[in-house]
Amino acid sequence: MIQRVEPPFSRFRDRLDPKVADWVFPYDSASRFDIALLGAPLSKTSISHSAAFRLPDAIRALFHSYSPYSVHHQMDLSERLRVADLGNVQMHLTDLALCQKWIEDAVYSYGETHAQPLVLLGGDHSITGAALLGLTRATKRTYGVIHFDAHHDVRNLEDGGRSNGTPFRTLLDSGAIAGRHVVQIGIRDYVNAKAYHAYVVQEGVTVVTARQVFRTGLAQVLEEAYAHVSKETDGVYVSFDMDVLDQSFVPGVPAPGPGGLTVWDALEALEWLGAKSNVQAVDFVCADPAQDVRDFTTRVATNLLLAFLAGKSLAKGANV
Amino acid sequence: MIQRVEPPFSRFRDRLDPKVADWVFPYDSASRFDIALLGAPLSKTSISHSAAFRLPDAIRALFHSYSPYSVHHQMDLSERLRVADLGNVQMHLTDLALCQKWIEDAVYSYGETHAQPLVLLGGDHSITGAALLGLTRATKRTYGVIHFDAHHDVRNLEDGGRSNGTPFRTLLDSGAIAGRHVVQIGIRDYVNAKAYHAYVVQEGVTVVTARQVFRTGLAQVLEEAYAHVSKETDGVYVSFDMDVLDQSFVPGVPAPGPGGLTVWDALEALEWLGAKSNVQAVDFVCADPAQDVRDFTTRVATNLLLAFLAGKSLAKGANV
Amino acid sequence: MIQRVEPPFSRFRDRLDPKVADWVFPYDSASRFDIALLGAPLSKTSISHSAAFRLPDAIRALFHSYSPYSVHHQMDLSERLRVADLGNVQMHLTDLALCQKWIEDAVYSYGETHAQPLVLLGGDHSITGAALLGLTRATKRTYGVIHFDAHHDVRNLEDGGRSNGTPFRTLLDSGAIAGRHVVQIGIRDYVNAKAYHAYVVQEGVTVVTARQVFRTGLAQVLEEAYAHVSKETDGVYVSFDMDVLDQSFVPGVPAPGPGGLTVWDALEALEWLGAKSNVQAVDFVCADPAQDVRDFTTRVATNLLLAFLAGKSLAKGANV
Amino acid sequence: MIQRVEPPFSRFRDRLDPKVADWVFPYDSASRFDIALLGAPLSKTSISHSAAFRLPDAIRALFHSYSPYSVHHQMDLSERLRVADLGNVQMHLTDLALCQKWIEDAVYSYGETHAQPLVLLGGDHSITGAALLGLTRATKRTYGVIHFDAHHDVRNLEDGGRSNGTPFRTLLDSGAIAGRHVVQIGIRDYVNAKAYHAYVVQEGVTVVTARQVFRTGLAQVLEEAYAHVSKETDGVYVSFDMDVLDQSFVPGVPAPGPGGLTVWDALEALEWLGAKSNVQAVDFVCADPAQDVRDFTTRVATNLLLAFLAGKSLAKGANV
Amino acid sequence: MIQRVEPPFSRFRDRLDPKVADWVFPYDSASRFDIALLGAPLSKTSISHSAAFRLPDAIRALFHSYSPYSVHHQMDLSERLRVADLGNVQMHLTDLALCQKWIEDAVYSYGETHAQPLVLLGGDHSITGAALLGLTRATKRTYGVIHFDAHHDVRNLEDGGRSNGTPFRTLLDSGAIAGRHVVQIGIRDYVNAKAYHAYVVQEGVTVVTARQVFRTGLAQVLEEAYAHVSKETDGVYVSFDMDVLDQSFVPGVPAPGPGGLTVWDALEALEWLGAKSNVQAVDFVCADPAQDVRDFTTRVATNLLLAFLAGKSLAKGANV
Amino acid sequence: MIQRVEPPFSRFRDRLDPKVADWVFPYDSASRFDIALLGAPLSKTSISHSAAFRLPDAIRALFHSYSPYSVHHQMDLSERLRVADLGNVQMHLTDLALCQKWIEDAVYSYGETHAQPLVLLGGDHSITGAALLGLTRATKRTYGVIHFDAHHDVRNLEDGGRSNGTPFRTLLDSGAIAGRHVVQIGIRDYVNAKAYHAYVVQEGVTVVTARQVFRTGLAQVLEEAYAHVSKETDGVYVSFDMDVLDQSFVPGVPAPGPGGLTVWDALEALEWLGAKSNVQAVDFVCADPAQDVRDFTTRVATNLLLAFLAGKSLAKGANV
Ligand SMILES: [Ca+2]
Ligand SMILES: [Ca+2]
Ligand SMILES: [Ca+2]
Ligand SMILES: [Ca+2]
Ligand SMILES: [Ca+2]
Ligand SMILES: [Ca+2]
Ligand SMILES: [Ca+2]
Ligand SMILES: [Ca+2]
Ligand SMILES: [Ca+2]
Ligand SMILES: [Ca+2]
Ligand SMILES: [Ca+2]
Ligand SMILES: [Ca+2]
């Protein structure tokens, strides 16, 4: 061979510094794993121009620079948790209803055959509608939902079909989930219509505004929300719209705004939720790498994902 | 007509989601209104290069994506408050003294004939000098001033005339306002000259540094400031320089710096101030859309404006 | 009224300098006009991420800074040509097949009732497929096509439906146009598949590569192309994909590349084509204002449009 | 002293590579020189938002990376020409009429006491009005003018005073220059009002459009223009608005557009003009470093300036 | 002289507003001073692409817009503290080991002859290794170290030599400092290898994670850290890696991440540390002006530096 | 398996559109190939800040969107030429002399064992020095060199070692190549020192300035250059510094400037050179993807590379 050459796309390696990319492995049906990742790269369904379809691979690209080690917990996630990457749901170029169906089918197919928790990487928020339709169809379970968002996401379906403004309308109207099993956290003023606030109230959804979070503290809000959605349900689905965070933390979200949650609280929240065995799925949506500043929003999403995995690791360790 | 066409510049409409742009209406002398907006698009008077003259229309452009509904208060501002948009003060291309005069004249003309509160959208901070000269001339009232800023803005007038560094010098020296009726909140270290600090102290101005705000809390600072400037005066004018906020929240201000106020506190403050019937005018200045990141600074300004209107709505509701 | 105010979004006006925006008027069925503009803001059908849907309104926004006067010809276009703006075809948020149909319907509806030339503002290149389907259905005419593009745009439809890679496949396979009536100008190396080159050759399409244009000169190429597509046909449709230009001139196209045509040649070409009464429609597609540098690509598109209108004005004047 | 330290703002130095910054020296009344540079950093007089006031110092900053050596001519400019930098005209912060006067005064003061050619670095085009008023007042000479521009720059003065749209109106109306002594080169379609074209024609100005330049070639156009403006006059003033170049070469001009002159032709033109002893002044205006891409526009301006100095060097050498 | 001209690179001056640039003076061996600045512009040693070598001069450039006055303390730093700027350590273009040696030599040379505190402006973090080697060699003292960083910076030296990932490895392995005299503050999860956490623990280093800082408060953490590193030592060295701050505050660091310290806490911390006479050196590293947003990161670094100098001023005042 | 999923980093595939990435294959010693690619990702040796080390992988990333088909020649390169990708030369993080040595060793190792032409992807221009040292050492041949560049690149080695300013100094002084076998094409005024021009003239190098290229035409210049360097030599090495092109075509080069060669000429030139069997190596250097605009410079480099391969394909075809 030629002397001193290495493969393309190599980067500086420190022999003592394994990366998340060395830990997460491609799914195959034979391998055992504890939790799975699935990309749902759909964002042509967004109301505003969005390249959120790039988020799953943008997160994976960052796996090459993150370590699986938590100094805070003195815990190596890679020693506790096997994480399988299922890949991305295939997308049709122009038939967006088919894209929704394929996401639903992929999650259905996963849910039918696997009990391990699932992490979905959007894509825009419409994927949550598809995913929960698939999951409930597969598992026949009743899910509680903790929905982090600045927006209610229950727009009418007549004015544009299943977009990123509609996932919870789709889910509530179809009966896949029940309003009394849903808590929305971080809802902001002046970006939601009165009619949609009225709708969620009427459906029995619990709404916690961003300002209430600031007054009460996210930890307490979350504890109550978790208790609420765990009642009467078989499992909890966490849906995290990145725009729930104050715009100063997430320059790449398509719908930024001030007055949102802080990144410090969100990181604690995801670890806390990860540690609950009841939480069986989480998604991260509505971050657009094409509009980001130096990948800051993708970095936040990746850290939230790792925080969730750390929670799972902590819980697992404790159960041994 | 041609099938399936709509006018230029249309955007996605959800029939149940009215926008701020549907609520605010152009002023005409016949219409009744509760509060008025006026743009003062002057920023050639800025010391540093600034396109703050673009802010009024940048805020109006965002009115098309904001809702008049506060989820937090379960209150539709558009049901309580009639908001008239007066338009922008005309600017001369090269005669900046005339620009100042025209701002003063416009506010004078408004103040002579209307008692409703006025929201001024700068432009740079020099417009506050012009506006308060016009307002005091029109109403013959004594105004207290709450001035949010990183800077004292009392530079000498010999070294450059009436710029964005001088509004309070203009006002104090002319006797339009008195130092003992002024509180400056958010003043920062290392961006103010000793001589100007000495000047405001000598004039009897109350100064609250950004660090004091952090220690005391803005709510308490504001309560004391409001009490102070309400004494002996006939009304309160609030002047909000966007650079009082920490630079992480306002990437588009011409004079950014760290260590400033937070956006969460500022939003609460403007709502609180809006609810005081004594507060008869507010301005937002020194945000440059041309240097902004994804309109974040314009978004903050718009949210502060809506918070102020929410305060007015709350107060009005309470008075019914 | 309040002194010295003017409406929002006003700008500096020179009383002797009328603008294109003062000349072009909104279509209504009663007004007489010589040529019509129609926006087709569809780009979710693009293979690469594109906000080309913003182009029609971006061009219209520039109408406020362009003059209708050609110094070169000492000709005021606004004195010769009445230009009606039909607006934009309405788009569905998520049903892209419906979007194609609505474009086809709008052009059909126009073509059924009007004989005046039509300028289409894309959108991505998929709109050409829809537009020519509508036009041929309405007029029952046989069209020759001059297609400026770096790409053949005849991809198979199985792999993604009607996208910006397929308009001429749609048109040739459907029989709406015949290959022998088509000339493609500016095709570039290394961005077209061998199979698609074989397809167009087999269909009888004439292909002129960008390199041939450089050797022969665009004027001569165009004269021959025009002669070729005018034979046997009832009219000529010009489709101008902005990426036919060298990337140095069009920083905002989604598929940029070096080695393309120059902007000087293109401006001359569009004026020359405009002057041919046979040319009954033109479209400008695949420029994305969101990826542009200081609106350079939108400026080029606007100048090409005005050059085309200048051609029409020259022809009209000559016919008087 | 401390070992191994060097002053702040040092950069890599190659001992054999002297720079333009080592050659150009600060003017003092005692030093002999052959040509002088003067900055006129005024751009608040611009119709569109412009930081062209930064150009003089941006060019000077580049002097640290340019060499005074022409490989093409095998000529070291620094061996032939002594270049004095007068500095920048002082600007008032808010009194723009005073700024114009100070530019006029500075040029007057220079012209009264020095016969060497002057290079003016704008600033926007309004400085040409001020400079030529000062120059003609000082020297009592009749100047021919070669004006490179996309625009006539003869707007009425009523609608905004002396802006960058008016310098030639100021000069023609005041009688400082005569229309028959002026040639405008590079005028573009669709960015000039009919009324102003009529005005310059009536004043006897010769107009060469950008398209004529392409057909005739700039070398021949220039030769004829030079012959024309040299007749009946005592000297030639060259005014170079950077926007005469096609926008692809000058991303930083406030008024970019396609179809302009090429940078190759412009470089040859400035060297050719520099070699004419008759050319006694040149200005470079309307390039905004704040809107530039990687200093490309400032680089072009710097190269044009050096080309002019090379012309002077060639002429001087020939005269020895 | 020519009327109304001023030197190049002048800017608006307010006669009553002296700047930091007027206060800090170039070092010469004769002048008395209280504290010294030294730039160490080395960043080719960085693992990720970094222009941190530009930071020292970027900070100095900002000295022209900062005032030496603290409104909060009503204290003029320039009346209390004489600050000498030593300049920058010379860098070799391609021999990076020589660069390290020259930094070590410069600090050694300074430390041998001066007892005043030293502020080092990096450059990347590798300069801390060189600086402390030089300082300990010169003074023969034992230093405690407070190390603000998201990262341990103790990578093995085999895989790339002395880079910005290795300074504390260099220092601990060489015995220049002892692990028990080091506190690392702000260490973050998922960006440190398990092996390096194990290494610092084994070396006796105290580690405080970013999350612990949030829970305990930086003031208390710092007090304990200071007490710890002051024991058994002759002086304290503070090393501040800008990436210890949350990425929302420092857009220009080469290794940004969420969950970091806040800028408000950091400013208080540096002032507090400055006031400790024991703190004899501080460095600021790993901020890259080329990747920054509107100089925000350089501004933070400058404010941290001024906060440190304010601490020194406060302490000095108290000692008089 | 899970339904409807595909691997991460998949993209839209058209079954009839194979890409360059499908054609170029990783080198292994067993495979037959006609030409090889080798990345030399070194740019810490640059005088100005440069991330040119990213170019090799940036080009490879574009291989996924380029087709191996030339419409102009109706030739599928993938049917004629087998292209092996050797990967990248390994780089040391901090020992830049070792990096140079490893590049030399890799090329030596290749040249010792393979006779097929080599394409080197820099990196900065210092890699040409290393590569030609390795190549001449391996093959013992005498090489003629065609060097496209704005710069002579013969700086003295005392002031900074082997940087991107020195490759031809290294080569000429060492005797690896002889000046009379070198032609430099595209040298520009005001960016080269007189001393270095004198040096190359003295060494017998032929210099063709950019302005001469414009007057003579690149085709003729190249023919003469090729004839000149082919005499007395055993093969030709082509070194292409991307900054030889006018800055309007290559926004990402570290040393941009106006007045350079055009991209159209360069593409023709590289194809022409590729077709010469004598040309045994080519390199592309000094393009920095981190400073680029929308990958335009990387696109130009990729097109130049493909043009060279097209030349090789043409020649090969002809030889069959
Ligand atoms: Ca959502
Ligand atoms: Ca949302
Ligand atoms: Ca202010
Ligand atoms: Ca301020
Ligand atoms: Ca196309
Ligand atoms: Ca195309
Ligand atoms: Ca002009
Ligand atoms: Ca102009
Ligand atoms: Ca560090
Ligand atoms: Ca660090
Ligand atoms: Ca070179
Ligand atoms: Ca070069």
Side-chain angles (χ1 to χ4, degrees), chain F residues 4-201:
Chain F
R4 283 294 171 188
V5 296
E6 59 187 8
F9 301 100
S10 301
R11 54 180 75 204
F12 173 70
R13 288 306 304 246
D14 172 326
R15 69 192 75 174
L16 299 173
D17 186 11
K19 298 299 187 186
V20 170
D22 302 315
W23 161 40
V24 174
F25 58 88
Y27 168 84
D28 68 279
S29 51
S31 303
R32 294 175 56 207
F33 63 93
D34 302 301
I35 193 163
L37 308 182
L38 175 62
L42 174 62
S43 54
K44 288 185 174 178
T45 38
S46 289
I47 295 173
S48 47
H49 184 55
S50 167
F53 72 94
R54 289 189 185 154
L55 185 65
D57 288 340
I59 289 173
R60 288 179 181 108
L62 283 184
F63 282 177
H64 291 276
S65 51
Y66 277 79
S67 157
Y69 186 72
S70 163
V71 176
H72 192 75
H73 296 297
Q74 305 198 17
M75 170 175 70
D76 187 334
L77 278 61
S78 69
E79 294 174 359
R80 299 201 179 186
L81 218 59
R82 286 159 301 185
V83 184
D85 186 346
L86 302 171
N88 292 327
V89 180
Q90 194 183 340
M91 290 290 110
H92 191 273
L93 192 59
T94 56
D95 187 338
L96 307 187
L98 204 55
C99 294
Q100 302 280 15
K101 187 176 178 317
W102 287 352
I103 295 169
E104 183 179 333
D105 288 353
V107 175
Y108 172 83
S109 156
Y110 177 82
E112 246 198 332
T113 49
H114 298 84
Q116 298 98 321
L118 180 65
V119 179
L120 271 155
L121 308 174
D124 69 35
H125 222 151
S126 73
I127 69 136
T128 304
L132 260 167
L133 288 179
L135 196 62
T136 52
R137 183 154 61 89
T139 65
K140 321 288 190 213
R141 289 185 171 183
T142 302
Y143 289 95
V145 176
I146 297 179
H147 172 207
F148 291 91
D149 205 332
H151 309 93
H152 290 307
D153 282 356
V154 292
R155 290 181 183 279
N156 78 79
L157 290 153
E158 291 72 30
D159 286 324
R162 282 169 61 183
S163 72
N164 67 333
T166 65
F168 292 93
R169 186 60 167 262
T170 301
L171 291 166
L172 290 165
D173 283 2
S174 70
I177 61 172
R180 69 183 185 283
H181 299 151
V182 177
V183 181
Q184 296 188 318
I185 298 175
I187 300 296
R188 285 210 290 270
D189 284 354
Y190 317 126
V191 291
N192 288 283
K194 182 184 185 184
Y196 294 129
H197 183 63
Y199 171 83
V200 295
V201 167

Side-chain angles (χ1 to χ4, degrees), chain C residues 47 152 155-156 158-159 187-197 207 209 211-212 214-215 246-249 251-254 256 258-260 262 291 293, chain F residues 12-19 65-74 76-77 79 248-249 263-264 267-268 271 293-294 296-297 299-300 303 306-307 310:
Chain C
I47 295 173
H152 289 307
R155 289 180 182 280
N156 78 78
E158 291 72 31
D159 285 324
I187 301 297
R188 286 210 288 270
D189 284 354
Y190 316 125
V191 290
N192 288 282
K194 182 184 183 183
Y196 295 128
H197 182 63
V207 174
T209 65
R211 288 166 77 180
Q212 283 170 285
F214 268 90
R215 291 170 185 189
D246 190 86
Q247 65 185 8
S248 58
F249 301 110
V253 297
T262 74
Q291 298 188 75
V293 173
Chain F
F12 173 70
R13 288 306 304 246
D14 172 326
R15 69 192 75 174
L16 299 173
D17 186 11
K19 298 299 187 186
S65 51
Y66 277 79
S67 157
Y69 186 72
S70 163
V71 176
H72 192 75
H73 296 297
Q74 305 198 17
D76 187 334
L77 278 61
E79 294 174 359
S248 57
F249 301 111
V263 77
W264 302 283
L267 290 167
E268 297 289 345
E271 189 178 293
V293 173
R294 298 194 65 215
F296 281 11
T297 311
R299 284 175 209 273
V300 172
N303 276 66
L306 290 169

Side-chain angles (χ1 to χ4, degrees), chain A residues 299-315:
Chain A
R299 284 174 209 272
V300 172
T302 307
N303 276 66
L304 291 170
L305 162 61
L306 290 170
F308 184 78
L309 299 181
K312 288 285 165 229
S313 297
L314 287 168

Side-chain angles (χ1 to χ4, degrees), chain D residues 42-235:
Chain D
L42 175 62
S43 54
K44 287 184 173 178
T45 37
S46 289
I47 294 173
S48 47
H49 184 55
S50 167
F53 73 93
R54 288 189 187 154
L55 184 66
D57 288 341
I59 289 174
R60 288 181 181 107
L62 283 183
F63 282 178
H64 291 276
S65 52
Y66 277 80
S67 157
Y69 187 71
S70 163
V71 176
H72 193 75
H73 296 296
Q74 305 199 16
M75 170 175 68
D76 187 335
L77 278 62
S78 69
E79 294 174 358
R80 298 202 179 186
L81 218 58
R82 288 158 300 185
V83 184
D85 186 346
L86 303 172
N88 291 328
V89 181
Q90 195 183 339
M91 290 289 109
H92 191 272
L93 193 60
T94 57
D95 187 339
L96 308 187
L98 205 56
C99 294
Q100 301 280 15
K101 187 176 177 320
W102 287 352
I103 295 170
E104 182 179 333
D105 288 353
V107 174
Y108 172 83
S109 157
Y110 177 82
E112 244 197 334
T113 49
H114 297 84
Q116 297 98 321
L118 180 65
V119 179
L120 272 155
L121 308 175
D124 70 35
H125 222 152
S126 73
I127 69 136
T128 303
L132 259 168
L133 287 179
L135 198 61
T136 53
R137 183 155 61 90
T139 64
K140 322 287 190 216
R141 289 185 173 184
T142 301
Y143 288 94
V145 175
I146 296 179
H147 172 207
F148 291 91
D149 206 331
H151 309 92
H152 290 308
D153 282 358
V154 292
R155 290 181 183 279
N156 78 78
L157 290 153
E158 290 72 30
D159 285 324
R162 283 169 60 183
S163 72
N164 67 333
T166 66
F168 292 94
R169 186 60 167 261
T170 302
L171 292 165
L172 290 166
D173 283 2
S174 70
I177 61 171
R180 69 183 185 282
H181 300 151
V182 177
V183 180
Q184 296 188 318
I185 297 175
I187 301 296
R188 286 209 290 269
D189 283 354
Y190 316 126
V191 291
N192 288 282
K194 182 185 185 182
Y196 295 129
H197 182 62
Y199 171 83
V200 296
V201 167
Q202 177 192 326
E203 291 287 319
V205 171
T206 302
V207 174
V208 188
T209 66
R211 289 165 78 180
Q212 283 171 285
V213 172
F214 267 90
R215 291 168 186 190
T216 312
L218 185 56
Q220 186 186 324
V221 164
L222 198 60
E223 210 161 322
E224 291 168 16
Y226 181 74
H228 181 81
V229 304
S230 300
K231 275 186 319 213
E232 311 176 343
T233 60
D234 308 313

Side-chain angles (χ1 to χ4, degrees), chain B residues 155-262:
Chain B
R155 289 181 183 279
N156 78 78
L157 290 154
E158 291 71 31
D159 285 324
R162 283 170 60 185
S163 72
N164 67 334
T166 66
F168 292 94
R169 186 59 167 263
T170 301
L171 292 166
L172 290 167
D173 282 2
S174 70
I177 60 171
R180 70 182 184 282
H181 300 151
V182 177
V183 180
Q184 297 189 317
I185 298 175
I187 301 296
R188 286 209 289 271
D189 284 354
Y190 317 124
V191 290
N192 288 282
K194 182 184 184 183
Y196 295 129
H197 182 63
Y199 171 83
V200 295
V201 166
Q202 178 192 325
E203 292 286 319
V205 171
T206 302
V207 174
V208 188
T209 66
R211 289 165 78 180
Q212 283 171 286
V213 172
F214 268 90
R215 291 169 185 189
T216 311
L218 184 56
Q220 186 186 325
V221 164
L222 198 60
E223 209 161 323
E224 291 169 14
Y226 181 73
H228 181 80
V229 304
S230 300
K231 275 185 318 210
E232 311 177 345
T233 60
D234 307 313
V236 172
Y237 185 107
V238 175
S239 183
F240 197 94
D241 186 329
M242 298 293 293
D243 69 22
V244 76
L245 296 171
D246 190 86
Q247 65 185 8
S248 58
F249 301 110
V250 283
V253 296
L261 273 53
T262 74

Side-chain angles (χ1 to χ4, degrees), chain D residues 236-264:
Chain D
V236 173
Y237 185 107
V238 176
S239 184
F240 196 94
D241 185 330
M242 299 294 292
D243 68 22
V244 77
L245 296 171
D246 190 86
Q247 66 186 7
S248 58
F249 301 111
V250 284
V253 296
L261 273 54
T262 74
V263 76
W264 302 283

Side-chain angles (χ1 to χ4, degrees), chain A residues 47 152 155-156 158-160 187-197 207 209 211-212 214-215 246-262 291 293, chain B residues 12-20 65-77 79 248-249 263-264 267-268 271 293-297 299-300 303 306-307 309-311:
Chain A
I47 295 173
H152 289 308
R155 290 181 182 279
N156 78 77
E158 290 72 31
D159 285 324
I187 300 297
R188 286 209 290 269
D189 284 354
Y190 317 125
V191 290
N192 288 283
K194 183 185 183 182
Y196 295 129
H197 183 63
V207 175
T209 66
R211 289 165 77 180
Q212 282 171 286
F214 268 89
R215 290 170 186 188
D246 189 87
Q247 65 185 7
S248 57
F249 301 110
V250 283
V253 296
L261 270 55
T262 74
Q291 298 189 75
V293 173
Chain B
F12 173 69
R13 288 306 304 247
D14 173 326
R15 68 193 75 173
L16 299 173
D17 186 10
K19 297 299 186 185
V20 170
S65 51
Y66 277 79
S67 157
Y69 186 71
S70 164
V71 176
H72 192 76
H73 295 298
Q74 305 200 17
M75 171 176 67
D76 187 334
L77 278 60
E79 295 173 359
S248 58
F249 301 110
V263 76
W264 303 283
L267 289 167
E268 297 288 345
E271 189 178 293
V293 174
R294 300 196 63 218
D295 293 332
F296 281 11
T297 311
R299 284 175 209 274
V300 172
N303 277 66
L306 290 169
L309 297 181

